[in-house]
Amino acid sequence: MTTREAFERAAYEGRAALIPYVMAGYPDAPGALETVRRVLPYADLLEIGLPYSDPLGDGPVIQRASERALRQGTRLKDVLEFVRQVRSLTDKPLFVMTYVNPVIATGPQRFFEAFKAAGATGLILPDLPPDEDPALVALAHGVGLETTFLLAPTSTDARIATVAPYCTGFVYTVSVAGVTGARDKLPDGLPELVQRIKQHTAAPVAIGFGISNQTTARQAAQAADGAVIASALIRAHEEGQPLEPVLEEVRQGLFRQVSV
């Protein structure tokens, strides 16, 4: 299934697409795969986090998950194996979220080819301004990986016009100028932000950073094509709570009201 098809199928069902986040190696290798099995029935696309020692864009919940995965010994080869295992379970789009340092440390061509071979659809690169290294982005496209970059409420029209064309997968729109984390309500102004972005790209737009309940999911669905749920899932795991009720609540919130 292509990224476009995943978003179109959700739209056909009258809702925004749901993109759950799973950290590779958290709480351990078997546990991460079990998490995938539990979230896949709700997912239109899946975001897979690559554990990193300095995740500046992530809030405390995802930071703790990353630290635990690293303490468990999760390394790049393990993330590649995880992606292969996930791909064997589904044909849904898989986007690997990675900071750019592991890409550079591995070698961009080698990194991209390895994840493409493992079954990744694309990459989310939160700390790479794509216009600062268009050659690196072109390498990813050259091996067949889609790329997704972040835009925020603080992004100017000029910045949106620069970044949006590099988003060949979807545009990841952060709801706040800050780090990840579950919230009870998203800030106002998201529909206007998404409309500004859509003036510069035909790619789907997904909102992340704060999707945790039916209220925030409904706000995201009214503004964008998809929603990412991350911290709320990891927090549920930390508290020993089942993931399915969280996913079901968010998914129900993503259905759009139809006027009659």
Side-chain angles (χ1 to χ4, degrees), residues 66-109:
S66 184
E67 290 166 1
R68 178 165 175 172
L70 291 172
R71 286 198 306 271
Q72 295 278 356
T74 305
R75 299 296 181 263
L76 183 65
K77 63 179 178 60
D78 304 301
V79 181
L80 286 165
E81 177 58 26
F82 182 64
V83 173
R84 281 190 285 269
Q85 292 173 332
V86 176
R87 175 51 71 209
S88 73
L89 299 175
T90 184
D91 69 343
K92 294 176 180 180
L94 307 178
F95 278 77
V96 176
M97 198 290 284
T98 178
Y99 290 89
V100 73
N101 183 271
V103 178
I104 301 301
T106 304
Q109 187 77 31

Side-chain angles (χ1 to χ4, degrees), residues 223-248:
D225 305 300
V228 179
I229 176 170
S231 295
L233 291 178
I234 294 176
R235 187 174 62 188
H237 189 281
E238 288 182 332
E239 295 173 353
Q241 301 298 319
L243 305 182
E244 289 82 359
V246 179
L247 289 159
E248 182 60 33

Side-chain angles (χ1 to χ4, degrees), residues 10 22 24 38 43 53 55 59 63 65 72 77 88 106 110 117 121 128 132 139 144 151-152 158 186 212 217-218 222:
V22 177
R38 292 167 67 180
S53 57
Q63 284 187 21
Q72 295 278 356
K77 63 179 178 60
S88 73
T106 304
R110 180 184 173 197
T121 305
L128 176 66
E132 290 191 7
L139 281 177
L151 288 168
L186 300 184
S212 63
R218 187 172 293 114
Q222 290 170 349

